[in-house]
Amino acid sequence: SSFAAAHQAPSCSHACSGVLGCAREALPVALSQQLHFAMEDALLPPAVAQDILRRYADVLRVGRLRMNGELVTWETDSSTELQLQSLCVRFISKLKESPDLKGLRPGDLRLAVYWFCKAVSINYALIEVLLMVKR
């Protein structure tokens, strides 16, 4: 639709792309800055993001998981790229709440999303079973 196309373009003043970037302009300044830092810390290297999208996208469609007993949800009614972006922001934000991880630098948890997706993906589990049967 034209609405989706207009909100996918990198047109916001933050030099972001996608719906999350555009939505920040309507937020109060303090909240916008918090979202900006949450997104910065959750950015995956492009090659890692592409690997998740190509191999482990089945995880993205689920839209929910329990982490330390609490429900974590992310957007699933959009493209897989935006689903991944939403998962990254929510997953990393939840990890940062853990007292055990408080001393880490911003960005240290960035690859946690990759390892999570790989560990729980049916594609990864299936290949492991096939390799075990082959042996």
Side-chain angles (χ1 to χ4, degrees):
S1 75
S2 61
F3 175 81
H7 286 81
Q8 295 294 330
S11 60
C12 80
S13 64
H14 300 96
C16 297
S17 62
V19 175
L20 288 177
C22 295
R24 290 191 327 187
E25 292 194 347
L27 297 174
V29 173
L31 185 56
S32 177
Q33 288 174 340
Q34 286 177 340
L35 179 58
H36 176 72
F37 290 123
M39 289 176 63
E40 292 274 322
D41 292 346
L43 287 176
L44 289 169
V48 173
Q50 287 304 314
D51 196 37
I52 292 172
L53 293 170
R54 190 177 73 249
R55 299 167 125 187
Y56 313 121
D58 58 312
V59 176
L60 302 176
R61 291 185 286 276
V62 175
R64 56 190 286 153
L65 66 97
R66 287 219 174 264
M67 186 181 291
N68 295 329
E70 293 182 37
L71 186 63
V72 176
T73 61
W74 60 91
E75 303 300 320
T76 58
D77 60 347
S78 58
S79 68
T80 53
E81 290 84 1
L82 289 177
Q83 290 173 20
L84 177 57
Q85 185 178 28
S86 180
L87 168 63
C88 287
V89 169
R90 304 271 172 78
F91 191 89
I92 299 302
S93 294
K94 188 51 126 178
L95 284 177
K96 286 177 160 183
E97 292 175 10
S98 171
D100 296 330
L101 303 175
K102 289 283 187 206
L104 296 176
R105 296 177 316 224
D108 282 348
L109 299 172
R110 210 172 276 185
L111 293 180
V113 171
Y114 172 78
W115 293 112
F116 168 77
C117 289
K118 184 173 182 171
V120 300
S121 173
I122 189 68
N123 297 335
Y124 181 72
L126 183 59
I127 194 66
E128 287 298 310
V129 169
L130 291 174
L131 290 173
M132 194 180 317
V133 169
K134 187 177 178 180
R135 287 183 222 149

